[in-house]
Amino acid sequence: MSRLIYLDHNASTPVAAEVVAAMAPFTTEHFGNPHTTHWAGRPGGEAIVRARAQVAELLGCSPAEIVFTGGATEANNHAIKGVFFANRQRGDHFVSTRIEHPSVKAALGYLERRFGATTTYVGVDRFGRVDPAEFEAAITPRTLLISVMHANNETGTVQPVAEIGRMARRRGVLFHTDAAQSVGKLAVRVDELGVDLLSVAGHKMYAPKGIGALYVRQRGRATPIEMDSLIHGAGQEDGRRGGTENVAYIVGLGAACALCGRLEVMVRVRELRDYFWERLRASFGERVALHGHPDERLPNTLNVGFRGAVGAEILSGLEGVAATTGAACHAGQTMLSETLEAMGVDEESGRGAVRWSLGRGTTREELEVVVERLRGVVSDRRQGT
Amino acid sequence: MRGCVFLLRLAGFVRNRRFVPYNDAMAPVYLDNNATTRPAPEVVEAMLPFLRESFGNPSSTHPLGQAARHAVENARTAVAALINARPQEVFFTSGGTEADNFAILGVLAENPKKRHIVTTAVEHEAVLRLCQRLETQGYRVTWLGVDRLGRLDPAEFEAALRDDTALASVMHANNETGVIFPVERLAQISAARGVPLHVDAVQTVGKIPLDVTAAPISLLSLSAHKLHGPKGAGALYVRRRVRLRSLMMGGHQERDMRPGTENVAAVAGFGRAAELAMATMHDDAPRIARLRDRLEAGLLEQTRGAHVNGDRANRTPNTTNIGFETLEAEAIVITLGENGVCISAGAACASGSLEPSHVLKAMGIDPIIAHGGVRFSLSRYTTESEIDETIHRVPPLLERLRKLMPAAT
């Protein structure tokens, strides 16, 4: 069998060789607990300081504003529940969108069901984009937090986060963005985006699964953001997140952030992505539809509806090609994904949706192979039905 | 903080005076395995494929995702086997602390009307601080004490259980002294009263046999990096039919109980570590205990005013806590560290003064001993020559330290 063609980088990326190399010493000789002062722990403690600075450098914040977590799901839960439980006397209302990642949606839903919180879910246009004006209109005196993903995992559509951030600042409402999909693909700078909280996922940016970060704004604030911890423990992460630091993975996230500073690679990825779309258009004409914003979109993401086909069947016909029909978190579904539904994608195109997400290592040849194989698979399906 | 600053100065002083020059030729001896262990080479080996070619997301249906899924499930089987649980009773977390939080907050959330918790005064910070925090939120917590040897009285435990007790949380073995609590007995008692028992077994899993079918333990926390696995992986055992709320909300991973893309590499490493522990524990435990006893005997014999803290008859095989009269624990740790012997202090260097550890305090250890209480913790990789080297190196260092700083303040 030929080499696997991996076009599922929005689900998880490979770990960069530089990242694995950076991690290696901390799974072997520098294995100590960073809280211990002796030789075994000290290198780990120092490495965490460096990694925190690397993450901060990429996001344009100060190292003290970074809390390492077990991933973006934890960061999102920490942001939403942390703000809620520390500020219940002040408010109980959230503003978010219909297309958030399950970890945001479910955290909000939990607070609604169990603690009487309310959320205004803002809809999206046919490109999957929200209207900032709707957020402002949704704000009430009880609003604690606005949470909007930076870029959508399924379509890659990038939200006007900076605009919402300016408005949130003006209205004095905390603003969180889930940047799991955008860090490493776009320039993500906390001041430009105007965010108070921002979630990072290691494994979407060539670091391993099991590490993430939450940015918590300190700079430019008169008082710290009142937040509860999600995981209570022995005072790690400045008392914000308990548990022995996952030193090797933290080092890996730092190294991955250092690599992401070089966004030129994404120019090439964008060209390949656009080339792939051109080839699909040339091969399938009006039978393919683009789901997502034509321009305001992650450079690596292409969500295509194959009219008259079913996404899962296309993928099962494409042996040796990894892609996904919806978000990986709810794979196996044949119904329209919530994101596509919210965009008002027509049923025929939505059922045939496949998300192709390219990576640094994707080649033109691989895309040629996929187009070629798709010709067989998609026309077969058409004849079969 | 001032105390810490003083100690750091002391370390600098010691270095600058070449009082105890650090000698690179001296191989370091790592005796801080209760803080964290060296990942086994086999564990690192098991992790690597999932940091390299096999990087799929276990939720993805393509072969790369399914390979990751298999790795997670194989690890679950191995971890379950180590405590004689069923694989479906094991939920992976980011570590022991998350498992403790998951267990305690999860059970409380399922029983909002019950507002009482029973725990001990000697728990790990994860449980201790969480319960302290719950006290500020309207929960009542009964903090069970221990005797001079660090033992818990099951009758006191029984008496503490009330009709509104939502949960009891008791560690299996203490991280500072190694003293083992009779959790099987406590589980019987709490089960008879209909109170779920959570056991923080972070310090025992992989060191001594543990069988969750032998007693009605409801929940049990595990940590990979205490048994030669990687940091960043742990698990919560949840007995069938025990209900609890998840700590986080999101995707459907871990059967809806713990969302977030699985840390496949670390989980795979955890599984391998569990297999290794299972295979070696039986032979290793007595060997490690012998080395520990040898170390203890050597240090007691060759150091003035040294006392073992904790029940010597009932400890994890790898741990000894020794109080050195009139010495300051952090000073001992720094001095030994400078000389290549890694150990830990019970004392927490965060409270503004050098308080003795909460564990030794709860045991009622004489402050003059408790202030100098330090922990030596061995592992399966500890060798006899390392122990002999430690016995050889440590007493003169302590003697010099005693001259330098005659009394604790």
Side-chain angles (χ1 to χ4, degrees), chain B residues 141-160:
Chain B
V141 178
T142 300
W143 300 95
L144 297 171
V146 292
D147 69 9
R148 297 269 311 182
L149 295 180
R151 294 176 302 191
L152 187 70
D153 180 0
E156 254 181 68
F157 175 81
E158 182 158 24

Side-chain angles (χ1 to χ4, degrees), chain B residues 193-205:
Chain B
R193 295 290 302 271
V195 174
L197 175 69
H198 164 246
V199 174
D200 174 358
V202 162
Q203 290 294 346
T204 51
V205 173

Side-chain angles (χ1 to χ4, degrees), chain B residues 81 224 256 313 389:
Chain B
D256 287 334
E389 182 62 32

